[in-house]
Amino acid sequence: MTSIGGAASSGMVDWNLAVATATRLMRPGPDVSRDEARAVVAELRRHAKASEEHVRGFTRLGTEETHDTPLLVVDRPGWVRANVAGFRELLKPLLDKMQERRGTSPGNAVLGAVGGKVTGVELGMLLSFLASRVLGQYETFAPATRDLPAGANGAGRLLLVAPNIVHVERELDVEPHDFRLWVTLHEETHRTQFTAVPWLRDHLEGEIQSFLGETDVDPMTVLERVREAAQSLAGGRPEGEEGDEGRSLVELVQTPAQREILGRLTAVMSLLEGHADFVMDGVGPAVVPSVAEIREKFQQRRAKGASRLDVALRKLLGLDAKLRQYRDGERFVRAVVEEVGMDGFNRVWTSPNTLPTKAEIAKPADWITRVHRKPEA
């Protein structure tokens, strides 16, 4: 097994153990022959290339020269390795901070090598759950590794998870070629967003690092927050205390400052996901003959999940919020484009100041007023 970024087994997280755990626990992919697998990979690459032109033409974003990020068609273990590398890069400042605190903490013995292995196993369990569900992903924070190339200067990479795409197209009983192109249109939109808007990656990274920087790294305090969060989710909140309904465990353990940052991040992610869905719907009818059937079946699948375990985990991890991001973000983009056109909507990419707030996602007219309003004389 390839090590993730050198001394991966040291520190607060045993990254190699996370990869090994996820690989051991993940579900097997669909049954395909070697020739069929090669054909799927080749077709996904063709569709991704075609999607670049479709997305650029529809969104009026970027040029051929802006697409300097690699496309990787991966299996489930490949998706895990890529994400572990990204997590390690993104979480390094926080983990370094926790490592320093651990050196002077009375609980130093507990939070040693054993703690890193426990965390590695827990991360691996989470990734094993997600590895069979993700169809594609634009990895914004993607350091290059020996077997996973990335764009220059941290420009990211586009992943398409071939076995998951085949699994879902069979589950939905849709036309495979149409479904594969439909998926690549969504993921290519994300690549276009980040390659055509150079400041977007740094802005997101800054917000995430601010969020992580607010994390209280005292283990007992974190444990107490988790305990309080679990009581809230279980209905153990004191009578008359409101405000936590509908929140995931991830949200409940955050500080007030982190919730403010999370609100801004939620708005950005709603914009990005909604924009990708809007582009899929806009491009789809011209190039994907069965797009209406695919869209209807896929939305039903998104909404219901696959099992009671899925529903519970989605709630715990905040994945239900992601489903709302698709819906609310798409409504925002559609309303703005209908009012001010695609070029008017594209003013959203001008700077961090022109990104919509969480409130504006829900009320697109407020964003239009703020960004398109002419200064009064």
Side-chain angles (χ1 to χ4, degrees):
M1 180 180 64
T2 302
S3 292
I4 304 297
S9 298
S10 62
M12 301 297 295
V13 182
D14 188 331
W15 299 104
N16 281 344
L17 184 57
V19 173
T21 300
T23 302
R24 184 175 68 253
L25 296 178
M26 70 179 56
R27 300 175 183 175
D31 186 17
V32 296
S33 68
R34 188 178 298 272
D35 287 344
E36 184 180 3
R38 289 197 185 103
V40 170
V41 170
E43 182 173 23
L44 287 173
R45 291 189 178 280
R46 289 195 304 271
H47 284 330
K49 184 64 178 176
S51 294
E52 292 182 22
E53 185 175 347
H54 294 317
V55 171
R56 284 200 307 270
F58 184 79
T59 64
R60 304 176 194 172
L61 289 174
T63 65
E64 189 170 353
E65 288 70 30
T66 62
H67 284 68
D68 60 350
T69 55
L71 164 69
L72 305 179
V73 182
V74 298
D75 57 9
R76 290 170 180 174
W79 179 84
V80 168
R81 289 194 298 273
N83 276 267
V84 166
F87 283 150
R88 178 168 184 165
E89 181 81 3
L90 194 61
L91 296 177
K92 187 177 185 302
L94 174 63
L95 295 180
D96 287 348
K97 182 178 176 182
M98 294 181 73
Q99 185 82 14
E100 292 175 7
R101 174 68 67 89
R102 191 180 73 180
T104 59
S105 170
N108 183 34
V110 177
L111 295 174
V114 173
K117 290 186 180 300
V118 170
T119 307
V121 169
E122 291 172 342
L123 177 59
M125 293 172 65
L126 169 61
L127 289 171
S128 72
F129 169 76
L130 296 174
S132 62
R133 288 157 176 78
V134 176
L135 302 183
Q137 173 185 4
Y138 181 75
E139 263 205 300
T140 314
F141 311 103
T145 65
R146 187 171 65 188
D147 57 346
L148 291 166
N153 301 316
R157 55 183 164 235
L158 180 60
L159 306 178
L160 296 173
V161 190
N164 294 350
I165 294 172
V166 172
H167 171 77
V168 173
E169 70 192 26
R170 290 178 178 179
E171 178 186 316
L172 298 182
D173 190 25
V174 293
E175 211 291 317
H177 305 294
D178 285 2
F179 183 74
R180 295 166 193 174
L181 177 55
W182 188 74
V183 170
T184 60
L185 285 170
H186 182 101
E187 303 308 331
E188 180 57 42
T189 302
H190 287 317
R191 177 157 65 164
T192 297
Q193 290 163 348
F194 283 94
T195 55
V197 186
W199 56 263
L200 185 57
R201 179 191 182 278
D202 289 342
H203 173 71
L204 265 183
E205 183 175 21
E207 291 280 54
I208 292 170
Q209 292 304 332
S210 295
F211 181 87
L212 296 177
E214 289 288 336
T215 298
D216 190 331
V217 295
D218 176 67
M220 294 307 295
T221 302
V222 173
L223 181 62
E224 183 63 27
R225 286 216 186 108
V226 171
R227 186 177 297 116
E228 291 173 358
Q231 290 173 353
S232 274
L233 287 174
R237 188 172 53 240
E239 186 176 356
E241 184 178 330
E242 302 295 339
D244 286 337
E245 293 181 5
R247 285 201 187 126
S248 69
L249 178 60
V250 174
E251 290 175 290
L252 286 171
V253 299
Q254 307 312 329
T255 66
Q258 284 176 314
R259 287 178 186 168
E260 287 186 18
I261 300 170
L262 189 62
R264 296 195 297 269
L265 283 170
T266 298
V268 175
M269 298 312 297
S270 296
L271 171 68
L272 298 179
E273 297 294 356
H275 184 233
D277 268 13
F278 178 77
V279 172
M280 275 199 307
D281 288 347
V283 175
V287 298
V288 182
S290 59
V291 65
E293 177 191 2
I294 290 172
R295 186 75 158 127
E296 180 180 0
K297 289 183 175 180
F298 194 76
Q299 284 182 323
Q300 290 173 354
R301 182 181 185 273
R302 266 183 184 170
K304 70 181 182 180
S307 67
R308 292 179 63 186
L309 176 61
D310 271 4
V311 172
L313 284 171
R314 275 170 34 182
K315 177 68 175 177
L316 179 68
L317 300 172
L319 299 183
D320 283 338
K322 187 172 178 65
L323 299 182
R324 291 195 296 274
Q325 288 172 11
Y326 286 108
R327 182 183 66 246
D328 297 344
E330 194 274 340
R331 287 174 180 168
F332 170 84
V333 176
R334 184 173 301 281
V336 173
V337 172
E338 287 178 355
E339 182 68 23
V340 297
M342 185 63 74
D343 290 336
F345 165 78
N346 281 341
R347 289 183 65 177
V348 79
W349 312 115
T350 304
S351 75
N353 292 331
T354 57
L355 290 172
T357 64
K358 189 176 179 180
E360 287 170 341
I361 288 288
K363 295 184 177 180
D366 290 353
W367 180 86
I368 294 171
T369 298
R370 177 171 67 88
V371 174
H372 286 269
R373 180 179 54 203
K374 295 181 179 179
E376 296 181 5

